[in-house]
Amino acid sequence: MTAIDHMLQLHILKLCILGMSSGVDPYLNIYFVVCFAGEHLRICPQGNTCCTLEMEDKFGQQSKQDFENLVDEMSHELRTTFVSRHKRFDEFFLELLENTERSLNEMFVRTYGKPYMQNSEVFENLFAELKRYYTGGNVNLEEMLNDFWSRLLERMFTLLNSQYVITEDYLECISKYTDQLKPFGDVPRKLKAQVTRAFIAARTFVQGLSVGREVAQRVSKVSSTPACIRALTKMLYCTFCRGMPAVKPCKNYCLNVMKGCLANQADLDPEWNQYIDAMLLVAQRLEGPFNIESVMEPIDVKISEAIMNMQDNSAQVSYRVFQGCGQPKPAGITRSARGVSDVFNARFRPYSPEERPTTAAGTSLDRLVVDIKEKLKLSKKFWSNLPEAMCVEDRVTAGNASDEDCWNGHTKGRYFPEVQKDGLTNQVNNPEVSVDITRPDTFIRQQIMALRVMTNKLKNAYNGNDIYFQDSSDEGSGSGSGSGCTEVCPTYMDGADATEIPVVKADRSGPVGDSASLYAPSVALPAMLALSALALHRQWR
C-alpha cells in the first residue's frame, strides 16, 4: 500500500508538536498530544486529533487512489498473463497457417507444376477462408470445405477432359454428383472432421483468452463507493490523526473493509472459475485429438492423396458424369497437341523434413498449451482471494503482530468483529462498509454474462461443435461447423489400432495413382510410371 506522502507526515507531526504544552517530550508522548478537539471530523474518531477537516478530505482522496493502485498491482500478473498468452497463441496459429500454405504451395509447384499454378487460387481461397474463420469471420467450415472440394473437382475434371468443352452449366451438373462419385476417396470426409474440430477448438480457445483478458482488465479498474472510501480512510489514515503513524490495521479489520469494497468482484468468482475449467477442457483437446498443428502440417499430403485418388478414378468418374450430365461437346484441340505439361501429373520428388518451415514462436503447440494451462490453473478463485492477498503484512496490515498492537478503527487494540464471507449478499452485516446488497454492480454483471457466454462456447468447442452454425431444429446433429456429437467426439483413425491417437496423423497408405488417369479416359501411361510415382510418394517427407 502506498504510504502517505512523507512531507504530509511531517506536517501532521509538526501540528501535533506545536499544539502540545511546553516541557512535554513530543516523541515520547505523541500519542497523548492534545492538538485540538476532533468534533469537526466526519470519518476519523472524534477526540483528540491532529487533523483538520481539509486534511481528512485529502486522506479520503489518497485512500481512493491507494486502493485503486493496490487492486491494479494485485491483478497485474493476471492481466499480463492473459495478454501475453493470447498474443503468443494468436501469433502461433497465424504463423502456422502461413507456414502450411507456403509449404503446400512449394510442394504442389514441384509436384504438379503449371496445372497447379494455373489453378492455385482454389487453394489460396481455402487458406483465406480458414484464416477468416479463425479471426472471427462468419464462415461455416463444413460448407466452405465442401465448396473447396467441389471447386477442385471442377478444375480437375476440366483438365482431365480437355478434349471437351466444359461449360459452367455442365460444371454445375457435375457438382450434383459429388457425393455419389466420391472422386477423392475418403480423404475429404476425414479431413473435414479433423479440420473442423481443430479449428473450432483453436478459434474458441483464443477467443476465450481474449475474453479473460478483457474481463480481467475491466474488473481491475475498480470504482470505489463513498462508503468504501470512508472505510478505507478510517483504516489507512486515521492513525495519523491520532498521532500513531506507525500502527498498521489489524488483519481481520482489513479483511472486512476489503470484502466490503470488493463485494461485487467476489461475485464474479463462480462464473470465472467455470470459465477457467472450460478453458482447461479445451486445452486438453488441443493437446490431443484437436491438435491444430498435427492437422495442418500434413494437409498438403492429404490433399495430394485426394488428387491421386481422383487420378485413379478419373475414367470411372468421367463415365458416370457423362451418364448423368450427358456427353459434352468436343473441343477443337486434341490432348496430344496440348502437351503433357498442361495437365496434372504425379512428378513426385523426395521432400526433406528440414525444408518444412518451423512452427511459430520457436515452440510447439503442446508446449504452448501446457504453459497456458499452468497459468490458467493459478488464476482460479482469483477474485474471492483478492481481499486476503491485499491484507498482507508488507502491504497493509500489522501481519503477525500482537492483536493488541494493531489499529482496529478506533484505537490501538484487538479487533473483535468476525470476518464476513465473500460476495455481495454476505455484506449485509459488514461492520466496516455499508453495502447495498439490493443493487448489484451493473458493470460486474455484464462481465459475468460475458464469461457465461464464453463458457458455453468453450463447452461446445470441447465437443467439436461451433454454436454459431448449429441447427436449432436439430440440436443433436448440429448442421454447421461442428461434428454434432454431444459427448466425446469419435476419433477417425486411418489404421486399425485405435490407440494411436492423433486423429490427424497423416495417412499415406491410400492408393497412389499414375498420371495416366488424369488424361483422357482412353489414354494410359505405362505401368512403370505409376510404380515410380508410388515409390517416390512413399519416400516423400
Side-chain angles (χ1 to χ4, degrees):
M1 173 64 69
T2 303
I4 190 171
D5 181 83
H6 182 62
M7 293 302 295
L8 187 56
Q9 294 184 43
L10 294 178
H11 178 63
I12 295 172
L13 294 177
K14 181 179 179 181
L15 288 175
C16 293
I17 293 170
L18 292 176
M20 292 191 312
S21 59
S22 59
V24 179
D25 186 338
Y27 299 104
L28 294 178
N29 299 283
I30 193 168
Y31 176 77
F32 303 103
V33 169
V34 179
C35 297
F36 38 77
E39 287 81 4
H40 58 285
L41 299 180
R42 293 187 294 239
I43 298 174
C44 294
Q46 294 182 349
N48 299 331
T49 183
C50 300
C51 296
T52 63
L53 182 59
E54 181 183 5
M55 292 171 62
E56 190 182 56
D57 290 340
K58 289 183 178 179
F59 286 153
Q61 298 171 16
Q62 186 64 41
S63 297
K64 181 178 184 296
Q65 187 65 49
D66 287 347
F67 177 66
E68 293 175 354
N69 289 345
L70 183 56
V71 174
D72 183 77
E73 176 189 338
M74 297 301 300
S75 61
H76 176 75
E77 184 176 356
L78 177 72
R79 289 179 284 117
T80 55
T81 291
F82 277 92
V83 169
S84 62
R85 270 52 182 188
H86 174 270
K87 184 174 183 291
R88 287 177 59 186
F89 189 90
D90 192 51
E91 289 176 347
F92 177 92
F93 192 91
L94 291 174
E95 189 175 339
L96 178 64
L97 273 180
E98 181 182 338
N99 289 346
T100 303
E101 182 176 9
R102 182 170 62 248
S103 176
L104 181 144
N105 182 69
E106 293 173 354
M107 185 269 260
F108 275 35
V109 166
R110 70 177 67 188
T111 302
Y112 300 115
K114 186 176 179 181
Y116 162 72
M117 291 185 283
Q118 291 175 335
N119 296 276
S120 61
E121 72 273 10
V122 175
F123 302 91
E124 293 170 359
N125 290 339
L126 169 65
F127 283 96
E129 287 298 284
L130 289 174
K131 182 177 180 180
R132 191 164 74 88
Y133 172 83
Y134 169 74
T135 54
N138 187 21
V139 178
N140 186 314
L141 280 178
E142 289 192 0
E143 291 181 2
M144 183 272 292
L145 290 170
N146 289 339
D147 186 66
F148 164 73
W149 292 112
S150 295
R151 300 288 80 76
L152 186 58
L153 172 61
E154 293 173 2
R155 299 300 180 94
M156 289 193 65
F157 186 88
T158 301
L159 286 171
L160 293 168
N161 296 277
S162 58
Q163 73 273 33
Y164 298 109
V165 176
I166 308 298
T167 64
E168 290 295 326
D169 290 339
Y170 198 86
L171 290 176
E172 185 176 347
C173 178
I174 293 174
S175 65
K176 298 177 182 178
Y177 292 90
T178 302
D179 292 338
Q180 299 177 28
L181 296 173
K182 296 188 184 303
F184 300 111
D186 204 32
V187 173
R189 181 187 67 83
K190 290 182 178 180
L191 197 59
K192 180 166 63 177
Q194 296 166 3
V195 168
T196 53
R197 297 182 310 181
F199 267 78
I200 289 168
R203 180 171 89 159
T204 308
F205 191 72
V206 79
Q207 286 178 344
L209 290 172
S210 178
V211 168
R213 176 193 65 192
E214 294 303 316
V215 169
Q217 289 178 336
R218 290 169 180 169
V219 178
S220 298
K221 304 299 182 184
V222 292
S223 178
S224 306
T225 65
C228 171
I229 296 173
R230 286 195 297 270
L232 290 167
T233 303
K234 184 178 180 182
M235 180 180 74
L236 298 175
Y237 290 114
C238 285
T239 53
F240 291 93
C241 295
R242 298 299 298 271
M244 300 182 295
V247 179
K248 289 189 174 183
C250 302
K251 183 172 182 179
N252 287 353
Y253 175 33
C254 175
L255 286 173
N256 275 338
V257 172
M258 294 303 179
K259 284 175 182 283
C261 289
L262 297 170
N264 284 283
Q265 281 77 2
D267 279 350
L268 189 76
D269 223 40
E271 205 64 51
W272 176 266
N273 293 337
Q274 290 187 42
Y275 151 76
I276 295 296
D277 288 338
M279 286 288 290
L280 292 172
L281 285 175
V282 175
Q284 291 177 9
R285 288 296 204 220
L286 289 172
E287 290 178 300
F290 297 1
N291 187 310
I292 190 68
E293 191 174 19
S294 298
V295 169
M296 293 307 294
E297 284 196 343
I299 200 171
D300 46 10
V301 178
K302 295 285 189 180
I303 295 176
S304 183
E305 288 174 2
I307 292 174
M308 299 298 286
N309 288 336
M310 176 69 180
Q311 288 178 280
D312 277 347
N313 301 320
S314 62
Q316 181 183 4
V317 169
S318 297
Y319 175 75
R320 293 179 65 183
V321 168
F322 293 161
Q323 280 188 320
C325 300
Q327 191 85 9
K329 295 180 181 180
I333 183 172
T334 63
R335 283 182 179 272
S336 57
R338 297 176 69 250
V340 175
S341 63
D342 289 335
V343 293
F344 277 101
N345 60 79
R347 295 181 289 104
F348 281 102
R349 297 178 182 178
Y351 192 65
S352 172
E354 286 74 19
E355 295 180 29
R356 179 173 295 282
T358 57
T359 53
T363 183
S364 71
L365 179 64
D366 288 338
R367 288 197 295 272
L368 181 57
V369 171
V370 167
D371 171 70
I372 294 175
K373 282 172 58 180
E374 291 304 312
K375 296 296 184 181
L376 288 173
K377 291 175 184 178
L378 294 175
S379 71
K380 287 194 70 173
K381 298 184 179 180
F382 175 83
W383 304 105
S384 60
N385 288 336
L386 191 54
E388 186 76 34
M390 295 172 74
C391 292
V392 295
E393 183 176 3
D394 61 338
R395 291 192 176 91
V396 177
T397 69
N400 296 325
S402 169
D403 290 341
E404 306 294 338
D405 295 331
C406 57
W407 172 250
N408 62 18
H410 302 281
T411 186
K412 184 170 73 169
R414 184 184 298 272
Y415 181 78
F416 291 100
E418 64 178 86
V419 177
Q420 304 299 297
K421 295 181 179 179
D422 299 312
L424 184 65
T425 57
N426 289 317
Q427 307 310 310
V428 62
N429 294 317
N430 191 307
E432 308 304 333
V433 186
S434 178
V435 180
D436 186 353
I437 65 171
T438 65
R439 299 182 62 183
D441 187 292
T442 304
F443 182 75
I444 297 294
R445 303 299 139 175
Q446 291 174 348
Q447 308 315 307
I448 290 175
M449 183 56 65
L451 290 173
R452 190 169 297 162
V453 171
M454 192 67 246
T455 299
N456 186 42
K457 291 182 182 179
L458 289 163
K459 289 179 178 178
N460 276 275
Y462 175 78
N463 290 322
N465 298 322
D466 190 339
I467 62 174
Y468 290 111
F469 297 105
Q470 283 188 7
D471 188 345
S472 59
S473 64
D474 186 4
E475 295 180 1
S477 63
S479 64
S481 297
S483 65
C485 49
T486 56
E487 296 299 330
V488 177
C489 294
T491 298
Y492 293 92
M493 301 302 298
D494 293 334
D497 187 359
T499 61
E500 295 180 3
I501 288 191
V503 298
V504 291
K505 187 174 182 180
D507 178 7
R508 298 183 179 85
S509 60
V512 179
D514 55 70
S515 59
S517 59
L518 279 163
Y519 294 92
S522 60
V523 180
L525 289 181
M528 185 60 69
L529 179 58
L531 295 175
S532 299
L534 176 62
L536 288 171
H537 178 55
R538 292 187 180 281
Q539 293 176 13
W540 187 33
R541 298 171 63 83

